[in-house]
Amino acid sequence: MIVCVCRRVSDREIARHARAGMNFDEIQFELGVATQCGRCEDCARDVVAQCCASRPVAALRNEAAALPGQLGATLHPSQTCHLSQPLAAA
């Protein structure tokens, strides 16, 4: 699925970069996602978060680095992007 229409970036491309260990800021710099109109930022961040959640070691490291109460504030249910299909491994 195309996440960023402005830059024509797919969820698979974002997921591939996230699985390679890149965080959202690095992916944004590399692919240009969410740098024009910004409408795709929440969905792109959700894709990155899903990939990090599938790698428990990375998720634990990120969770430990977050300040108390900050982790829950990063994603709000109303801002989530509901993908019609689960992300396929690249």
Side-chain angles (χ1 to χ4, degrees), residues 19-84:
R19 285 188 197 106
M22 296 174 78
N23 65 29
F24 178 79
D25 293 334
E26 294 167 330
I27 293 170
Q28 186 177 39
F29 182 77
E30 182 75 22
L31 302 177
V33 66
T35 58
Q36 289 200 341
C37 77
R39 288 183 161 185
C40 63
E41 184 172 352
D42 290 337
C43 187
R45 286 184 182 275
D46 285 348
V47 172
V48 173
Q50 286 177 10
C51 290
C52 290
S54 69
R55 292 178 24 206
V57 173
L60 289 175
R61 186 187 69 211
N62 291 340
E63 186 175 316
L67 295 174
Q70 186 179 22
L71 185 63
T74 56
L75 291 176
H76 300 286
S78 63
Q79 296 175 327
T80 58
C81 167
H82 301 285
L83 302 175
S84 59

